Amino acid sequence: FVGAKDQIFSFNLMNINKDVLKIVWPPSHSRRNECKWAGKDLVKECANFIRVLQHYNQTHLYACGTGAFHPVCAYIDVGHRPEENVFKLETSHFENGRGKSPYDP
């Protein structure tokens, strides 16, 4: 699993070009606008840079991002086995990421 700017990737380590799964997780429009109004660079700083990816249990990852200077965390369902190709952000439960993820990229 790899965190990036506004995205999280799941790669098949046997063949890195096969079965690449992706979650797009940008900051909310309001957070992005707040970041812009605070004088930050919209392209370089006002994004959700994924900084924490941790196995939570057998079926989920715990992920945190900068959230355009408002850190946010969530769970990612990865299924029971890799061949299931499950990779889904649990959008029903976001957590405040203060103290868990840095504010800035």
Side-chain angles (χ1 to χ4, degrees), residues 47-97:
N48 188 24
F49 293 90
I50 308 305
R51 305 288 289 209
V52 175
L53 280 174
Q54 177 70 42
H55 281 279
Y56 181 72
N57 59 27
Q58 290 181 338
T59 60
H60 288 81
L61 294 175
Y62 188 66
C64 299
T66 60
F69 289 87
H70 291 275
V72 62
C73 298
Y75 294 92
I76 298 172
D77 185 357
V78 295
H80 285 61
R81 292 181 294 282
E83 55 272 5
E84 291 179 6
N85 283 335
V86 174
F87 195 57
K88 179 184 169 200
L89 184 68
E90 299 284 343
T91 57
S92 61
H93 183 71
F94 289 107
E95 296 179 359
N96 187 323

Side-chain angles (χ1 to χ4, degrees), residues 8-59:
I8 303 170
F9 297 94
S10 175
F11 294 104
N12 179 331
L13 296 181
M14 298 302 213
N15 182 348
I16 202 146
N17 294 318
K18 181 183 176 195
D19 299 329
V20 176
L21 302 175
K22 176 173 75 169
I23 292 172
V24 178
W25 186 17
S28 67
H29 291 291
S30 62
R31 293 293 189 206
R32 191 172 161 101
N33 286 336
E34 285 177 30
C35 180
K36 183 177 125 184
W37 293 328
K40 304 293 183 186
D41 185 289
L42 191 61
V43 176
K44 294 180 181 175
E45 298 176 295
C46 297
N48 188 24
F49 293 90
I50 308 305
R51 305 288 289 209
V52 175
L53 280 174
Q54 177 70 42
H55 281 279
Y56 181 72
N57 59 27
Q58 290 181 338
T59 60

